[in-house]
Amino acid sequence: RAERSTVMSLQVTDVSVTSADITGLKKFTMYKVSVRAANKVITGSLEGPASNFVQIQTSQDVPLAPVSLSIAAVDDTSLHVTWLPPLAPNGIVQFYQVF
């Protein structure tokens, strides 16, 4: 399944500031970030070339609950339990705990 790209843009108008926080990102998602400088002129802005993209992944977090839980009796002393993975695993699921 192909991931959709969303383009976000921040404008830092105080040129003495050389950092910015990008917020509201999705958990455990890969992002590419680039920066460019621009000179404002009367008719608009003159944008310089963008820096190389840097790729980074946001951190993992706890997964949502597994879905479609189903239980069936195998015999009088056993149960068969099935489920589907969480809709938002927010990382790499390492194990399931059945209790």
Side-chain angles (χ1 to χ4, degrees), residues 74-91:
V74 175
D75 56 34
D76 50 341
T77 62
S78 302
L79 299 173
H80 181 74
V81 182
T82 62
W83 60 88
L84 294 176
L87 296 177
N90 295 327

Side-chain angles (χ1 to χ4, degrees), residues 10-76:
L10 298 173
Q11 190 172 61
V12 179
T13 56
D14 181 349
V15 296
S16 68
V17 174
T18 57
S19 66
D21 292 331
I22 303 172
T23 60
L25 303 177
K26 293 182 181 179
K27 300 169 186 176
F28 200 62
T29 301
M30 191 67 66
Y31 289 93
K32 291 182 186 178
V33 179
S34 179
V35 176
R36 86 170 73 221
N39 294 330
K40 188 128 178 141
V41 294
I42 294 171
T43 59
S45 66
L46 297 174
E47 295 178 346
S51 66
N52 291 333
F53 280 95
V54 175
Q55 191 165 313
I56 188 165
Q57 187 170 28
T58 52
S59 300
Q60 295 191 79
D61 199 4
V62 296
L64 294 183
V67 295
S68 300
L69 178 63
S70 177
I71 303 172
V74 175
D75 56 34
D76 50 341

